[in-house]
């Protein structure tokens, strides 16, 4: 009987760790989805989008660009309100205005550190296209910590470090989505 109890306890812990990893994976995907332009979620204005991004973070969260280009450009922001304010800058920027940005995550190294915490590293690629036809591609490495809270799983620490930024030829995209209809039920 003790062997069965021990086996059940071990399985419960394994399931809890798998659930932690699944929640962290879902959360980082939602973050990236909300950061994409045009936003695949129809009808969400820029202000609401920034607030939705901020709501993915714990009250004591830190969002931080580290090292050369990312440290200088992005800085450090604490808590959902500061993180949302930081994100608003991207959606309000004009001259040139960003019209396309999609996040591609690769090289995932995600692990549960307990039943209520997880952390991981990813490599990210992002083509950025502006309304003046200019564009660039960015790559960065991410280190993200997640924590279960009373409000659900949230990002507790998000660090991004630039790997490279490269200029793409002007007007390189032959077709470019203007508005997403993916989430409209079409």
């Amino acid at each position: 009987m003790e062997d069965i109890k021990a086996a059940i306890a071990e399985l419960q812990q394994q399931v809890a760790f798998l659930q932690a990893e699944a929640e962290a994976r879902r959360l980082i995907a939602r973050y990236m989805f909300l950061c994409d332009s045009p936003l695949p979620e129809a009808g969400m204005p820029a202000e609401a989008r920034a607030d939705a991004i901020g709501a993915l973070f714990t009250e004591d969260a830190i969002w931080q660009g580290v090292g050369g280009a990312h440290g200088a450009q992005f800085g450090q922001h604490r808590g959902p309100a500061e993180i949302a304010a930081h994100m608003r800058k991207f959606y309000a920027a004009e001259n040139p205005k960003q019209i396309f940005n999609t996040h591609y995550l690769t090289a995932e190294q995600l692990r549960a550190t307990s039943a209520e915490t997880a952390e991981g590293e990813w490599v990210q690629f992002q083509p950025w296209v502006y309304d003046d036809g200019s564009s660039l591609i960015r790559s960065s490495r991410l280190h993200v910590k997640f924590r279960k809270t009373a409000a659900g799983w949230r990002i507790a620490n998000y660090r991004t470090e630039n790997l490279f930024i490269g200029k793409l030829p002007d007007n390189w995209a032959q077709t470019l989505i203007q508005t997403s209809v993916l989430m409209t039920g079409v």
Side-chain angles (χ1 to χ4, degrees), residues 42-126:
M44 185 183 285
E47 184 81 15
R49 181 205 306 218
D51 290 341
I53 292 169
L56 298 176
F57 289 81
T58 62
E59 289 301 318
D60 62 344
I62 297 173
W63 189 106
Q64 182 178 21
V66 298
H70 274 37
Q73 182 179 8
F74 298 133
Q76 180 176 326
H77 311 279
R78 293 182 177 270
E82 276 189 32
I83 293 166
H86 171 65
M87 293 298 163
R88 273 187 206 93
K89 294 175 194 172
F90 291 101
Y91 309 123
E94 300 284 338
N95 299 324
K97 179 179 180 176
Q98 185 185 82
I99 58 172
F100 182 82
N101 178 17
T102 299
H103 296 73
Y104 301 93
L105 290 180
T106 67
E108 180 181 87
Q109 296 183 63
L110 177 63
R111 63 213 159 271
T113 50
S114 78
E116 297 186 349
T117 59
E119 67 181 271
E121 294 82 33
W122 289 264
V123 173
Q124 169 181 275
F125 289 91
Q126 297 172 259

Side-chain angles (χ1 to χ4, degrees), residues 111 119-122 141-145 157-160:
R111 63 213 159 271
E119 67 181 271
E121 294 82 33
W122 289 264
R141 188 172 314 279
L142 307 176
H143 180 89
V144 185
K145 294 181 180 180
N157 189 280
Y158 182 99
R159 298 182 69 191
T160 177

Side-chain angles (χ1 to χ4, degrees), residues 2 12 31 41 66 69 85 88-89 92 96 106 117 122 124-125 129-131 133 140 145 147 167 174 177 183:
E2 291 303 316
Q12 287 173 322
Y31 172 83
E41 198 161 294
V66 298
R88 273 187 206 93
K89 294 175 194 172
T106 67
T117 59
W122 289 264
Q124 169 181 275
F125 289 91
V129 179
Y130 297 95
D131 63 353
S140 56
K145 294 181 180 180
R147 185 170 69 232
K167 183 171 174 21
Q174 294 180 357
I177 188 171
M183 304 298 285

Side-chain angles (χ1 to χ4, degrees), residues 181-186:
V181 297
L182 184 66
M183 304 298 285
T184 60
V186 175

